[in-house]
Amino acid sequence: MTQERTALPTAECAPQQEAGSLTRSVRRGALWTAASAILLRFGNILVMAVVARLISPDELGIYALAIAVYGFVASLASWGVASAIGRSDLDADKLGPTVTTFALSGTCVVAGAMALLAGPVASAFEAPEAAGPIRILAVALAVQGIIAVPAAQIQRLFRQDVIFRANVVAFILSNTTLLGLATVINGAEAFAWSRVVGNGVVGVMIVLALEKRYRPGWHAQFVGPLLRFGIPVALGTLLSRFVLNIDYVIVGRETSTTDLGFYMLAFTICSWPTAALGAVMDQVALPAFSGARRDGRDLRETVYRAVRIVALVACPIAAFTCAFAYPLIEAVYGAKWLTAAPVVQVLALYGVLYVLGTLFDEMMIASGKTMTMFLVQATALVALVPTLIVGVRTGGLVGVGVGHILVVLVVTMPAYLIAMKATTGAGLGVALRAVSRPVAAALAAAGVALLVTEGLAHPLAKLAVGGMVGLVVYVAVAGPQLLQLFPDRLADQPILVAATAWPSSVAKRLGISTDNSCHNRT
């Protein structure tokens, strides 16, 4: 047991008779979170389709810079200690008051500094128009910090149904605000105010759903261990935010806010796998993996299953996005945004790699290896900045996307896999076996869909036919692995079994093995 786990108060082990409760809780929480993410993603696509016709690429570029600053600063708001409440192997009741004090004090300081320094920061980015949105987002940051501990409590309890309801209400109110303000004030400020409304609504609903709320308090014996745990988390998250958002800063400085607007749209589209899975991992992966460690489960198998589930969802989204980038942008956002299409095609792969890195981040935190997480992010950032500068100067916006992929493949992912091998025993071989079937299925689906839709001219027709054909092919190739994403009562339905099992039956008749489990291979 590490020093950090010895110093922080641990929770009692789960009773043996409840061995299956963790799996049920994880699956239930994941389904609620996935439903929320998918519903909101489709909703945001529809809203953005309207807003893209009301604002200019320049206004979207200004908001991109403001939201980048918000992402950097938000990493430090609660000093990273709120993650300790989300770990199911630690005693939240003993830690709660002290963590609440850290979260509230850190938020007040950081949000105030963000508001005061908005002007100089915007000028440093050569976009003084971003100062207003940055100040507005400081309010959103304050709200986010205030609810950091309640949100971690919801995460710990796998109460993602609360998050689902909160997100739905927040989506309606925040986007009503956005659409109402977009025709009255600058588009970047309209986006910023909608973020304030959304954070506020989610916060209120989370707090009201909790039966236990922690008041600020102070237990000196926990301060050192919390800081040793939390500061690497905060710094690692900050670095991950730099890795995720430094391209906005570089593109904004090297080109223009108009080009940055095109780039932000492309990056948003390619973040669809992150949107669909990032929320699940933020809410479920930390308590699930820490629970598996607490219960003495096979961590190698746990990593294999988690990577496979992520790949089953992320790979088809990325493949379809890459294959149908042009009709997708034209149909959804309008022809004036087609400049973003080549960037979308390149960044589609990055979306899959990034979401896998996010999963490994959560596993590092759950294992108490927060310094490892920090070192991985620091190494990635050192490599990323010069690579992106060279990329944008030699290849424009597409060069930035290529730079992202190179750094992840050469630096970030190998570092993660080495760390995961040392921590769980699951390294490159386990990861490759986990992603092999989803990758093959996604490539086959995208290829067949492109062939079938080659003669179609209308973008909506291409998307509709390509989507249906691709889905059929993907389900056929991915096979029974997809059933593991559903609850048992749905996975046993004859129509789902028939839709996913027939390729395996054909393969068996041909003498081809389809067993892709972790334990059956060395």
Side-chain angles (χ1 to χ4, degrees):
M1 186 173 291
T2 65
Q3 179 182 2
E4 175 271 322
R5 285 176 60 86
T6 301
L8 290 176
T10 57
E12 295 182 359
C13 293
Q16 289 298 320
Q17 64 267 26
E18 297 179 5
S21 63
L22 177 63
T23 300
R24 290 192 297 272
S25 296
V26 169
R27 181 174 290 178
R28 177 178 177 274
L31 287 174
W32 273 112
T33 307
S36 176
I38 293 171
L39 176 64
L40 296 180
R41 176 51 51 185
F42 278 112
N44 283 327
I45 291 171
L46 293 176
V47 171
M48 191 60 190
V50 176
V51 175
R53 290 165 170 80
L54 299 177
I55 67 172
S56 66
D58 181 69
E59 290 174 310
L60 188 59
I62 292 171
Y63 179 67
L65 287 176
I67 203 67
V69 174
Y70 173 84
F72 298 152
V73 178
S75 308
L76 303 174
S78 64
W79 299 22
V81 297
S83 296
I85 301 298
R87 284 180 55 177
S88 56
D89 58 339
L90 298 179
D91 192 328
D93 290 342
K94 293 181 179 179
L95 294 173
T98 307
V99 173
T100 299
T101 300
F102 273 119
L104 293 177
S105 61
T107 294
C108 291
V109 172
V110 173
M114 179 177 172
L116 289 174
L117 298 176
V121 170
S123 297
F125 291 155
E126 299 181 358
E129 306 92 339
I134 291 174
R135 292 191 184 97
I136 297 169
L137 288 173
V139 180
L141 175 61
V143 175
Q144 179 178 319
I146 290 170
I147 64 169
V149 172
Q153 291 176 257
I154 292 292
Q155 177 188 25
R156 179 191 184 95
L157 298 171
F158 295 102
R159 290 294 311 279
Q160 280 71 31
D161 55 316
V162 174
I163 301 295
F164 175 84
R165 290 190 291 270
N167 283 338
V168 170
V169 176
F171 170 81
I172 295 171
L173 295 180
S174 64
N175 283 296
T176 299
T177 302
L178 172 60
L179 293 174
L181 292 178
T183 59
V184 179
I185 63 175
N186 180 274
E189 294 186 355
F191 271 110
W193 280 119
S194 71
R195 175 64 68 98
V196 173
V197 173
N199 284 6
V201 172
V202 170
V204 170
M205 295 190 67
I206 285 177
V207 171
L208 292 177
L210 288 173
E211 296 180 359
K212 179 185 297 183
R213 304 177 185 89
Y214 299 115
R215 295 182 179 180
W218 194 256
H219 294 91
Q221 69 269 31
F222 299 145
V223 173
L226 279 172
L227 290 177
R228 287 195 296 271
F229 169 80
I231 288 178
V233 172
L235 294 178
T237 304
L238 175 63
L239 289 178
S240 71
R241 293 292 183 179
F242 269 109
V243 170
L244 183 61
N245 293 299
I246 194 64
D247 50 356
Y248 288 169
V249 177
I250 292 173
V251 171
R253 287 183 61 87
E254 294 288 333
T255 58
S256 65
T257 52
T258 299
D259 284 337
L260 180 56
F262 288 123
Y263 182 81
M264 183 182 185
L265 184 75
F267 200 93
T268 300
I269 294 172
C270 294
S271 297
W272 287 350
T274 308
L277 290 166
V280 176
M281 288 183 289
D282 286 343
Q283 294 295 321
V284 175
L286 177 59
F289 195 74
S290 59
R293 286 174 55 85
R294 177 198 63 203
D295 297 343
R297 299 195 176 194
D298 185 343
L299 297 184
R300 187 168 177 266
E301 179 70 15
T302 300
V303 172
Y304 171 81
R305 290 181 180 276
V307 171
R308 184 177 62 184
I309 290 172
V310 167
L312 282 170
V313 178
C315 290
I317 297 174
F320 184 84
T321 302
C322 177
F324 292 90
Y326 281 91
L328 178 64
I329 291 178
E330 184 176 359
V332 177
Y333 302 108
K336 73 176 182 180
W337 295 94
L338 281 175
T339 301
V343 192
V344 169
Q345 292 179 315
V346 174
L347 284 176
L349 173 60
Y350 175 73
V352 177
L353 295 173
Y354 179 80
V355 79
L356 285 172
T358 302
L359 174 64
F360 294 145
D361 267 344
E362 295 294 332
M363 290 181 173
M364 291 290 100
I365 295 173
S367 302
K369 303 295 184 180
T370 53
M371 185 55 70
T372 301
M373 168 193 165
F374 168 74
L375 291 175
V376 171
Q377 295 296 342
T379 304
L381 182 61
V382 169
L384 188 64
V385 173
T387 303
L388 293 187
I389 292 175
V390 172
V392 72
R393 291 178 179 177
T394 58
L397 299 182
V398 172
V400 176
V402 172
H404 265 304
I405 294 172
L406 287 176
V407 170
V408 174
L409 290 178
V410 176
V411 179
T412 311
M413 200 55 63
Y416 273 129
L417 291 173
I418 291 172
M420 292 301 298
K421 179 70 173 179
T423 304
T424 67
L428 176 62
V430 171
L432 290 178
R433 286 193 293 273
V435 303
S436 59
R437 179 69 68 87
V439 169
L443 292 176
V448 174
L450 279 176
L451 289 175
V452 170
T453 59
E454 186 176 359
L456 300 177
H458 198 282
L460 282 176
K462 277 183 173 289
L463 293 177
V465 175
M468 288 187 292
V469 171
L471 179 61
V472 171
V473 174
Y474 184 73
V475 169
V477 178
Q481 289 189 357
L482 288 171
L483 292 179
Q484 298 179 13
L485 301 178
F486 296 92
D488 293 338
R489 64 180 182 276
L490 293 179
D492 293 336
Q493 294 298 313
I495 187 171
L496 286 178
V497 174
T500 58
W502 67 266
S504 297
S505 301
V506 173
K508 288 180 180 179
R509 289 180 179 274
L510 296 175
I512 302 173
S513 174
T514 59
D515 190 351
N516 202 33
S517 67
C518 180
H519 285 306
N520 289 338
R521 297 171 185 261
T522 58

mmCIF file of all heavy atoms in Angstrom, residues 74-93:
data_model
loop_
_atom_site.group_PDB
_atom_site.id
_atom_site.type_symbol
_atom_site.label_atom_id
_atom_site.label_comp_id
_atom_site.label_asym_id
_atom_site.label_seq_id
_atom_site.Cartn_x
_atom_site.Cartn_y
_atom_site.Cartn_z
ATOM 1 N N ALA A 74 -9.769 26.520 -14.484
ATOM 2 C CA ALA A 74 -10.677 25.624 -13.756
ATOM 3 C C ALA A 74 -9.949 24.431 -13.158
ATOM 4 O O ALA A 74 -10.385 23.875 -12.147
ATOM 5 C CB ALA A 74 -11.788 25.140 -14.682
ATOM 6 N N SER A 75 -8.827 24.050 -13.750
ATOM 7 C CA SER A 75 -8.071 22.912 -13.242
ATOM 8 C C SER A 75 -7.557 23.145 -11.829
ATOM 9 O O SER A 75 -7.357 22.190 -11.071
ATOM 10 C CB SER A 75 -6.879 22.628 -14.166
ATOM 11 O OG SER A 75 -7.296 22.504 -15.506
ATOM 12 N N LEU A 76 -7.352 24.409 -11.476
ATOM 13 C CA LEU A 76 -6.741 24.729 -10.191
ATOM 14 C C LEU A 76 -7.755 25.135 -9.132
ATOM 15 O O LEU A 76 -7.382 25.375 -7.977
ATOM 16 C CB LEU A 76 -5.732 25.873 -10.376
ATOM 17 C CG LEU A 76 -4.613 25.622 -11.388
ATOM 18 C CD1 LEU A 76 -3.775 26.887 -11.572
ATOM 19 C CD2 LEU A 76 -3.736 24.459 -10.957
ATOM 20 N N ALA A 77 -9.032 25.226 -9.488
ATOM 21 C CA ALA A 77 -10.026 25.831 -8.597
ATOM 22 C C ALA A 77 -10.135 25.109 -7.263
ATOM 23 O O ALA A 77 -10.198 25.737 -6.211
ATOM 24 C CB ALA A 77 -11.384 25.887 -9.285
ATOM 25 N N SER A 78 -10.163 23.781 -7.256
ATOM 26 C CA SER A 78 -10.334 23.045 -5.999
ATOM 27 C C SER A 78 -9.065 22.334 -5.558
ATOM 28 O O SER A 78 -9.104 21.452 -4.707
ATOM 29 C CB SER A 78 -11.464 22.014 -6.140
ATOM 30 O OG SER A 78 -11.129 21.043 -7.110
ATOM 31 N N TRP A 79 -7.908 22.709 -6.163
ATOM 32 C CA TRP A 79 -6.609 22.142 -5.809
ATOM 33 C C TRP A 79 -6.544 20.638 -6.056
ATOM 34 O O TRP A 79 -5.662 19.967 -5.552
ATOM 35 C CB TRP A 79 -6.252 22.430 -4.350
ATOM 36 C CG TRP A 79 -6.142 23.878 -3.991
ATOM 37 C CD1 TRP A 79 -6.707 24.939 -4.651
ATOM 38 C CD2 TRP A 79 -5.433 24.440 -2.883
ATOM 39 N NE1 TRP A 79 -6.406 26.108 -4.020
ATOM 40 C CE2 TRP A 79 -5.631 25.842 -2.923
ATOM 41 C CE3 TRP A 79 -4.684 23.907 -1.847
ATOM 42 C CZ2 TRP A 79 -5.077 26.706 -1.980
ATOM 43 C CZ3 TRP A 79 -4.136 24.761 -0.919
ATOM 44 C CH2 TRP A 79 -4.321 26.142 -0.986
ATOM 45 N N GLY A 80 -7.478 20.096 -6.812
ATOM 46 C CA GLY A 80 -7.469 18.675 -7.123
ATOM 47 C C GLY A 80 -7.939 17.757 -6.017
ATOM 48 O O GLY A 80 -8.043 16.548 -6.224
ATOM 49 N N VAL A 81 -8.250 18.314 -4.827
ATOM 50 C CA VAL A 81 -8.575 17.445 -3.694
ATOM 51 C C VAL A 81 -9.991 16.893 -3.767
ATOM 52 O O VAL A 81 -10.308 15.905 -3.090
ATOM 53 C CB VAL A 81 -8.376 18.194 -2.357
ATOM 54 C CG1 VAL A 81 -6.920 18.584 -2.178
ATOM 55 C CG2 VAL A 81 -9.277 19.424 -2.275
ATOM 56 N N ALA A 82 -10.878 17.502 -4.574
ATOM 57 C CA ALA A 82 -12.246 16.992 -4.662
ATOM 58 C C ALA A 82 -12.291 15.572 -5.198
ATOM 59 O O ALA A 82 -13.219 14.816 -4.895
ATOM 60 C CB ALA A 82 -13.095 17.921 -5.531
ATOM 61 N N SER A 83 -11.276 15.176 -5.970
ATOM 62 C CA SER A 83 -11.236 13.814 -6.504
ATOM 63 C C SER A 83 -11.165 12.772 -5.395
ATOM 64 O O SER A 83 -11.567 11.628 -5.583
ATOM 65 C CB SER A 83 -10.038 13.644 -7.442
ATOM 66 O OG SER A 83 -10.159 14.470 -8.583
ATOM 67 N N ALA A 84 -10.650 13.159 -4.215
ATOM 68 C CA ALA A 84 -10.576 12.213 -3.105
ATOM 69 C C ALA A 84 -11.965 11.783 -2.652
ATOM 70 O O ALA A 84 -12.154 10.656 -2.190
ATOM 71 C CB ALA A 84 -9.813 12.842 -1.935
ATOM 72 N N ILE A 85 -12.952 12.673 -2.772
ATOM 73 C CA ILE A 85 -14.323 12.321 -2.395
ATOM 74 C C ILE A 85 -14.905 11.311 -3.370
ATOM 75 O O ILE A 85 -15.730 10.470 -3.004
ATOM 76 C CB ILE A 85 -15.206 13.580 -2.338
ATOM 77 C CG1 ILE A 85 -14.644 14.587 -1.332
ATOM 78 C CG2 ILE A 85 -16.639 13.236 -1.973
ATOM 79 C CD1 ILE A 85 -14.590 14.073 0.088
ATOM 80 N N GLY A 86 -14.494 11.373 -4.624
ATOM 81 C CA GLY A 86 -15.005 10.441 -5.622
ATOM 82 C C GLY A 86 -14.445 9.043 -5.508
ATOM 83 O O GLY A 86 -15.018 8.105 -6.056
ATOM 84 N N ARG A 87 -13.345 8.874 -4.769
ATOM 85 C CA ARG A 87 -12.742 7.546 -4.626
ATOM 86 C C ARG A 87 -13.498 6.728 -3.589
ATOM 87 O O ARG A 87 -13.567 7.099 -2.415
ATOM 88 C CB ARG A 87 -11.276 7.676 -4.221
ATOM 89 C CG ARG A 87 -10.365 8.079 -5.350
ATOM 90 C CD ARG A 87 -8.918 8.187 -4.896
ATOM 91 N NE ARG A 87 -8.422 6.971 -4.258
ATOM 92 C CZ ARG A 87 -7.165 6.831 -3.846
ATOM 93 N NH1 ARG A 87 -6.302 7.806 -3.992
ATOM 94 N NH2 ARG A 87 -6.787 5.699 -3.257
ATOM 95 N N SER A 88 -14.045 5.608 -4.013
ATOM 96 C CA SER A 88 -14.866 4.798 -3.111
ATOM 97 C C SER A 88 -14.044 4.018 -2.097
ATOM 98 O O SER A 88 -14.604 3.408 -1.191
ATOM 99 C CB SER A 88 -15.727 3.821 -3.930
ATOM 100 O OG SER A 88 -14.923 3.015 -4.767
ATOM 101 N N ASP A 89 -12.703 4.039 -2.233
ATOM 102 C CA ASP A 89 -11.877 3.353 -1.249
ATOM 103 C C ASP A 89 -11.410 4.275 -0.127
ATOM 104 O O ASP A 89 -10.652 3.863 0.745
ATOM 105 C CB ASP A 89 -10.669 2.697 -1.930
ATOM 106 C CG ASP A 89 -9.804 3.707 -2.686
ATOM 107 O OD1 ASP A 89 -10.318 4.795 -3.019
ATOM 108 O OD2 ASP A 89 -8.625 3.401 -2.950
ATOM 109 N N LEU A 90 -11.861 5.547 -0.133
ATOM 110 C CA LEU A 90 -11.517 6.495 0.916
ATOM 111 C C LEU A 90 -12.769 6.893 1.695
ATOM 112 O O LEU A 90 -13.880 6.833 1.173
ATOM 113 C CB LEU A 90 -10.853 7.741 0.317
ATOM 114 C CG LEU A 90 -9.522 7.525 -0.419
ATOM 115 C CD1 LEU A 90 -8.995 8.841 -0.969
ATOM 116 C CD2 LEU A 90 -8.491 6.867 0.488
ATOM 117 N N ASP A 91 -12.587 7.327 2.939
ATOM 118 C CA ASP A 91 -13.696 7.682 3.831
ATOM 119 C C ASP A 91 -14.107 9.133 3.570
ATOM 120 O O ASP A 91 -13.452 10.074 4.035
ATOM 121 C CB ASP A 91 -13.278 7.501 5.284
ATOM 122 C CG ASP A 91 -14.461 7.571 6.244
ATOM 123 O OD1 ASP A 91 -15.412 8.314 5.947
ATOM 124 O OD2 ASP A 91 -14.431 6.886 7.282
ATOM 125 N N ALA A 92 -15.207 9.309 2.835
ATOM 126 C CA ALA A 92 -15.657 10.653 2.461
ATOM 127 C C ALA A 92 -16.128 11.453 3.659
ATOM 128 O O ALA A 92 -15.973 12.682 3.695
ATOM 129 C CB ALA A 92 -16.768 10.552 1.416
ATOM 130 N N ASP A 93 -16.729 10.801 4.649
ATOM 131 C CA ASP A 93 -17.249 11.531 5.802
ATOM 132 C C ASP A 93 -16.129 12.217 6.589
ATOM 133 O O ASP A 93 -16.309 13.322 7.113
ATOM 134 C CB ASP A 93 -18.022 10.585 6.720
ATOM 135 C CG ASP A 93 -19.338 10.125 6.099
ATOM 136 O OD1 ASP A 93 -19.791 10.800 5.156
ATOM 137 O OD2 ASP A 93 -19.894 9.115 6.544
#
